[in-house]
């Protein structure tokens, strides 16, 4: 048999980045193939589709709020992209984000002695790629909030005289100041996510796309974010 965690771990991890049913199916199918559990392509395809459906159902049940927000972001992004505009927003720190995904007018291949290089024209006058604009919005928005949290933590550490360095979601300081950095990063996270981020995002989109109808923001849950301040495993 196949270990449940081994079989669906990749799909669960990439679900927060907007993995589609087709993409998840390919991931799980690859795990089945690695274990040689199916006797034919048809059996492998049927098994992977069945497991993918179960995995998505479980994700919707366990992470209802997250899935609802992801679906809301995708719906809004699709409507914006279909109107002909790239999806864009400004982070809480004032950084403008514009998704660059457009349909290339032409693809040129340049052959060298070592490889073939594909050149595309990403001119801003080209029509937007609706599918890529839609699928990328949820993960890119989350990444923009994560980077905002990282910069807020860096600023808080600088103000407190704490040495700080980071790579992506890995925060570093000297051993003696780890407890202090831990308190600061939790405080900054709570302050950031206590803001009405989705409401602000929807307002930005409506202002940038007058006349466009967007669904209301999903209802907030009852999680008390202040619990993060005392959570030892929130960031470790």
């Amino acid at each position: 048999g196949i270990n449940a965690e081994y079989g669906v771990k990749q799909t669960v991890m990439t679900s927060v980045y907007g993995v589609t049913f087709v993409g998840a199916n390919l991931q799980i199918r690859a795990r089945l193939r690695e274990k040689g559990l199916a006797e034919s392509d048809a059996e492998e395809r049927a098994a992977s589709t069945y497991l993918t459906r179960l995995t998505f159902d479980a994700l919707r049940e366990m992470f209802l709020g997250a899935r609802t927000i992801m679906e809301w972001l995708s719906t809004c992004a699709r409507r914006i992209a279909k109107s002909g505009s790239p999806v864009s927003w400004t982070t809480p720190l004032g950084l403008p984000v514009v998704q660059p995904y457009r349909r290339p007018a032409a693809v040129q291949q340049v052959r060298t002695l070592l490889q073939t290089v594909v050149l595309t024209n990403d001119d801003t006058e080209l029509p937007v790629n609706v599918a890529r604009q839609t699928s990328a919005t949820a993960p890119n928005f989350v990444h923009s909030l994560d980077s905002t949290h990282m910069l807020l933590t860096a600023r808080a550490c600088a103000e407190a005289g704490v040495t700080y360095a980071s790579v992506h979601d890995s925060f570093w300081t000297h051993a003696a100041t780890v407890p202090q950095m831990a308190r600061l990063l939790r405080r900054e996270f709570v302050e950031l996510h206590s803001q009405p981020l989705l409401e602000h995002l929807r307002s930005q989109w409506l202002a940038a796309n007058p006349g466009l109808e967007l669904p209301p923001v999903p209802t907030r849950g009852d999680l008390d974010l202040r619990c993060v301040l005392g959570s030892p495993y929130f960031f470790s």
Side-chain angles (χ1 to χ4, degrees), residues 43 54 114 192 225 228:
E43 184 177 281
L54 288 182
L114 298 177
L192 171 62
L225 276 178
V228 167

Side-chain angles (χ1 to χ4, degrees), residues 2 6 11 16-17 20 44 54-55 71 76 84 93 97-98 101 109 111 117 131 138 146 162 164-165 195 203 215 218:
I2 184 171
Y6 171 85
T11 300
V16 295
Y17 299 116
T20 64
E44 183 180 85
L54 288 182
T55 302
E71 290 168 2
C76 292
L93 280 177
V97 179
V98 182
Y101 315 114
Q109 289 189 344
R111 297 182 181 277
V117 180
D146 287 345
V162 174
Y164 173 84
Q195 301 176 38
S203 297

Side-chain angles (χ1 to χ4, degrees), residues 16-17 19 27 46 54 78 87 94 118 143 199 203 212 214 225:
V16 295
Y17 299 116
V19 67
Q27 292 171 349
L54 288 182
R78 186 178 299 107
V87 180
V118 178
H143 282 313
E199 288 82 353
S203 297
L212 190 67
L214 297 178
L225 276 178

Side-chain angles (χ1 to χ4, degrees), residues 104-188:
V107 176
Q108 179 183 1
Q109 289 189 344
V110 179
R111 297 182 181 277
T112 70
L113 293 175
L114 298 177
Q115 61 186 345
T116 298
V117 180
V118 178
L119 303 179
T120 60
N121 180 8
D122 292 327
D123 192 283
T124 55
E125 298 301 318
L126 294 172
V128 298
N129 186 322
V130 175
R132 290 197 66 191
Q133 290 281 343
T134 301
S135 63
T137 295
N140 283 343
F141 180 64
V142 171
H143 282 313
S144 75
L145 293 180
D146 287 345
S147 64
T148 298
H149 175 236
M150 180 187 71
L151 288 171
L152 289 171
T153 301
R155 186 176 66 182
C157 285
E159 292 173 350
V162 174
T163 299
Y164 173 84
S166 67
V167 174
H168 189 45
D169 57 358
S170 179
F171 296 1
W172 309 335
T173 189
H174 297 300
T177 51
V178 166
Q180 190 174 359
M181 185 188 72
R183 288 193 296 273
L184 292 172
L185 70 87
R186 284 165 172 77
R187 185 194 71 190
E188 295 301 326

Side-chain angles (χ1 to χ4, degrees), residues 214-231:
L214 297 178
V217 171
T219 304
R220 274 178 173 263
D222 57 2
L223 174 66
D224 184 357
L225 276 178
R226 291 172 299 179
C227 292
V228 167
L229 298 174
S231 173

Side-chain angles (χ1 to χ4, degrees), residues 66-94:
R67 297 298 300 185
T68 300
I69 292 173
M70 287 174 61
E71 290 168 2
W72 178 80
L73 288 169
S74 296
T75 298
C76 292
R78 186 178 299 107
R79 294 185 183 182
I80 294 170
K82 282 186 174 181
S83 73
S85 300
V87 180
S88 63
W89 62 90
T90 302
T91 71
L93 280 177

